[in-house]
Amino acid sequence: ETGVTQTPRHLVMGMTNKKSLKCEQHLGHNAMYWYKQSAKKPLELMFVYNFKEQTENNSVPSRFSPECPNSSHLFLHLHTLQPEDSALYLCASSQDRVQQYFGPGTRLTVT
Amino acid sequence: DQQVKQNSPSLSVQEGRISILNCDYTNSMFDYFLWYKKYPAEGPTFLISISSIKDKNEDGRFTVFLNKSAKHLSLHIVPSQPGDSAVYFCAASGGVRGGSRLTFGEGTQLTVNP
């Protein structure tokens, strides 16, 4: 596998469920990111990790909980989500501060 | 506060013609700009970038122009091909909370008609 992979690609969950999104990068990068893309809106940065340490939390509700066990893996744990959380969740990685490489995203639907 | 704006949600162009996608920004601390292309069911892929010390960067059919005084950049695609049909995002880096943060525009859907 090369690049940035994300699983699952599609997820439907109820508001009381707990699920996790997984991201893995095979590029040797030291920074990883979670973005949310809602329809007709810009990509919204959620979290940034540098060398496994969280360096940015963009005022994300606590029902979203990131985890970065190492520089290659990033998780987004989800619990008690709301229907308005339905969106495309994108993971990205980078080696420097500029060019980021994105995964294909997880299309999340909260029912 | 939308710091990066793409005011055209869509653009339709004939194959072989030039496509011009526009982007405006408000934060004068931005010092690096990127364009990403996104196909349905895929993540954004990097296309081309430009540093604020330049006003033009060219890569094959793609050229990005930066006008710092107007806080405006544009992406020119010539000649346009049907495979270029995608959503194009403008992004900017730098600013007070710079570091690894990228600020994205809303995207422009480009359709190239055969």
Side-chain angles (χ1 to χ4, degrees):
Chain A
E1 288 256 42
T2 58
V4 181
T5 58
Q6 289 186 244
T7 55
R9 294 294 308 276
H10 300 271
L11 178 63
V12 179
M13 61 185 288
M15 289 190 284
T16 58
N17 291 160
K18 288 185 180 181
K19 296 286 185 184
S20 295
L21 309 185
K22 179 183 175 183
C23 175
E24 184 173 359
Q25 59 99 357
H26 311 266
L27 300 167
H29 291 166
N30 55 24
M32 296 187 77
Y33 313 78
W34 278 117
Y35 287 87
K36 174 184 177 183
Q37 187 187 16
S38 303
K40 305 278 194 267
K41 292 176 75 174
L43 276 72
E44 300 171 53
L45 180 65
M46 301 174 73
F47 302 103
V48 181
Y49 278 82
N50 277 287
F51 293 101
K52 305 187 300 178
E53 299 298 320
Q54 186 180 127
T55 55
E56 187 158 352
N57 176 337
N58 198 25
S59 302
V60 180
S62 59
R63 57 186 184 269
F64 295 91
S65 175
E67 179 191 358
C68 189
N70 54 61
S71 293
S72 299
H73 294 85
L74 186 64
F75 295 89
L76 189 62
H77 303 300
L78 317 170
H79 66 97
T80 58
L81 294 192
Q82 305 297 312
E84 59 265 29
D85 296 322
S86 298
L88 180 68
Y89 289 84
L90 290 159
C91 173
S93 70
S94 73
Q95 182 59 28
D96 56 37
R97 70 171 185 143
V98 182
Q99 187 176 330
Q100 295 177 17
Y101 294 78
F102 286 84
T106 295
R107 175 66 63 185
L108 174 67
T109 303
V110 181
T111 61
Chain B
D1 175 31
Q2 188 71 25
Q3 296 188 66
V4 177
K5 284 193 70 65
Q6 295 175 254
N7 290 312
S8 298
S10 63
L11 174 68
S12 186
V13 170
Q14 208 62 29
E15 182 179 5
R17 299 290 186 102
I18 185 171
S19 295
I20 300 176
L21 297 104
N22 294 301
C23 178
D24 296 293
Y25 61 96
T26 58
N27 190 337
S28 56
M29 298 295 289
F30 286 144
D31 60 3
Y32 202 86
F33 304 89
L34 306 90
W35 284 94
Y36 281 83
K37 179 169 74 171
K38 185 181 184 301
Y39 292 117
E42 295 182 15
T45 55
F46 170 75
L47 193 57
I48 193 169
S49 62
I50 188 166
S51 164
S52 60
I53 63 174
K54 293 186 172 183
D55 54 20
K56 177 183 175 182
N57 188 26
E58 191 172 352
D59 183 2
R61 296 185 297 115
F62 303 91
T63 303
V64 56
F65 295 92
L66 175 62
N67 182 335
K68 282 177 296 202
S69 61
K71 294 190 178 68
H72 176 84
L73 65 154
S74 61
L75 174 67
H76 293 211
I77 307 173
V78 56
S80 302
Q81 299 173 354
D84 296 327
S85 298
V87 178
Y88 288 79
F89 292 98
C90 167
S93 175
V96 174
R97 297 177 66 192
S100 46
R101 164 181 279 267
L102 281 180
T103 302
F104 284 85
E106 306 94 323
T108 297
Q109 171 69 57
L110 172 66
T111 302
V112 180
N113 302 301

